[in-house]
Amino acid sequence: MTSVAEPPSAADDAATLAALRAGDEAAFTVLVEQYHPVMVRLAMAYVPSHAVAEEVAQETWLGVLNGLDRFEGRSSLRTWIFRILTNIAKTRGVRESRSVSFSSMFDDPGDDGPAVPEDRFAPEGNWLLAPNGWGDSPEQKLETAEVQEIIKESIESLAPNQREVIRLRDVLGWTAEEVCNALEVSETNQRVLLHRARSRVRRALEAYFDGAESR
Amino acid sequence: MSERRTRRWLARLFRRGAKQQEPLACRELVELVTAYLERALPPADRARVEAHLAACPHCTRYLEQMRQTIAATGKLHEDDLSPAARDALLAAFRGWKSG
């Protein structure tokens, strides 16, 4: 599976839609393989268990199939699919009475402090403890299983709204516009959530590289 | 324009000019990195960020590490579809087709 991909073009979407309408099982399989696991994970932010999230995603696919004739191509196909998903997930979440306010989950980026801890700056705002280098060719190290696991863990530990935004933007390579549309989040809040998420992941990597240095 | 309004207008303009030229502190820059990379900053702020980066190797390194973080995050793989989910979804698809 490719992780970072160009968003499908309108022509790709039109071809997929035509195939689905014609009952093409292969086209449906491609779509499901691409999006179903992501959908289940996103639904997890709204509902209490993996089993319910799985149900939400399955219900979404039925909604997609039954709504094919209503899809007008004003948004991309995947944005439309994820809008259906979040609507079903919100409804299910309310029914399962999770104490989270869903309408505001992405509207309120919360406040979890600065990108870099205050104490690394001098009072006038310049670096006191500047970032260390990550060694020669860090790109290679960043792709090792060990470091990929660190990234994964730091994403898992984020608040759900930050986690979903960084996953869609940086793991899956969606555009800002697509994420705003799919999650019904404003451009500004999307950016704030992404900023906090990326800053946290960078700090996890920094901790790793600083530790590796002193070993 | 009356002279008083002109003077007020000029004063505003100068204040704004002064604000734009105010250099950024490193602490401020690290909070603008995402907006900078997303090309979401107004031109004046973008210029301030670039002026700071040109003079600050620490923040240049910080920005580079953010870029590396983004690239490394893009190498993660999402879970694959489980066979059970695939079977259930294909059954649903066949049901939809024949329904």
Side-chain angles (χ1 to χ4, degrees):
Chain A
M1 197 204 298
T2 51
S3 46
V4 176
E6 286 292 302
S9 67
D12 295 338
D13 278 358
T16 305
L17 278 168
L20 289 178
R21 285 177 181 140
D24 183 339
E25 209 169 287
F28 183 67
T29 308
V30 168
L31 216 54
V32 157
E33 279 183 344
Q34 234 174 345
Y35 300 134
H36 187 75
V38 191
M39 287 160 64
V40 174
R41 278 180 167 268
L42 178 58
M44 285 288 294
Y46 297 88
V47 299
S49 71
H50 188 273
V52 178
E54 185 67 48
E55 281 171 32
V56 166
Q58 296 202 6
E59 207 181 307
T60 301
W61 288 111
L62 283 178
V64 167
L65 293 173
N66 291 325
L68 280 180
D69 291 330
R70 287 195 307 275
F71 178 72
E72 290 168 343
R74 269 195 294 243
S75 64
S76 71
L77 181 60
R78 68 184 184 189
T79 299
W80 180 65
I81 294 173
F82 276 73
R83 279 288 272 275
I84 296 175
L85 176 87
T86 48
N87 282 327
I88 294 175
K90 280 180 199 170
T91 311
R92 265 314 273 279
V94 171
R95 210 192 305 156
E96 309 274 342
S97 70
R98 275 194 102 184
S99 58
V100 183
S101 166
F102 302 111
S103 55
S104 68
M105 177 159 81
F106 291 100
D107 293 339
D108 176 16
D111 182 16
D112 59 1
V116 175
E118 269 299 293
D119 59 9
R120 296 201 36 192
F121 298 101
E124 85 282 3
N126 290 333
W127 289 103
L128 201 60
L129 285 166
N132 292 319
W134 287 356
D136 301 331
S137 60
E139 286 80 6
Q140 280 174 13
K141 264 192 220 129
L142 287 165
E143 286 184 36
T144 60
E146 187 186 9
V147 176
Q148 289 281 298
E149 194 53 40
I150 289 167
I151 297 174
K152 208 167 164 178
E153 277 169 17
S154 72
I155 291 177
E156 291 298 332
S157 73
L158 295 169
N161 52 10
Q162 294 178 14
R163 191 177 64 214
E164 296 317 319
V165 169
I166 195 172
R167 188 174 281 144
L168 291 174
R169 285 296 312 278
D170 291 348
V171 181
L172 296 167
W174 287 33
T175 64
E177 194 190 351
E178 283 183 293
V179 173
C180 291
N181 287 332
L183 302 181
E184 298 185 298
V185 55
S186 73
E187 228 180 281
T188 306
N189 286 343
Q190 188 266 160
R191 202 162 51 238
V192 170
L193 291 166
L194 181 64
H195 179 66
R196 296 195 172 146
R198 283 177 176 173
S199 305
R200 285 275 292 274
V201 175
R202 193 206 67 89
R203 270 157 62 192
L205 291 173
E206 175 173 63
Y208 166 80
F209 280 108
D210 282 354
E213 193 77 6
S214 64
R215 272 202 291 270
Chain B
M1 211 185 280
S2 74
E3 199 195 316
R4 212 177 55 169
R5 275 182 60 197
T6 308
R7 235 185 294 134
R8 268 214 311 263
W9 175 73
L10 277 175
R12 246 199 340 265
L13 209 66
F14 280 124
R15 263 205 309 278
R16 202 187 301 157
K19 202 172 164 219
Q20 278 168 9
Q21 280 154 23
E22 216 170 88
L24 278 175
C26 304
R27 182 167 45 206
E28 293 167 316
L29 188 130
V30 299
E31 299 297 347
L32 293 177
V33 162
T34 304
Y36 175 71
L37 291 174
E38 301 268 292
R39 300 194 154 269
L41 287 177
D45 288 335
R46 185 171 184 83
R48 289 168 79 211
V49 167
E50 281 171 351
H52 182 106
L53 288 170
C56 180
H58 304 308
C59 286
T60 301
R61 172 178 279 173
Y62 186 88
L63 177 69
E64 182 56 23
Q65 291 181 350
M66 282 295 265
R67 285 204 173 102
Q68 287 166 341
T69 300
I70 296 163
T73 304
K75 303 285 179 196
L76 283 188
H77 287 281
E78 282 286 331
D79 307 338
D80 288 329
L81 184 65
S82 73
R86 178 204 303 261
D87 291 348
L89 290 167
L90 282 178
F93 185 71
R94 289 179 195 128
W96 168 77
K97 210 159 83 174
S98 62

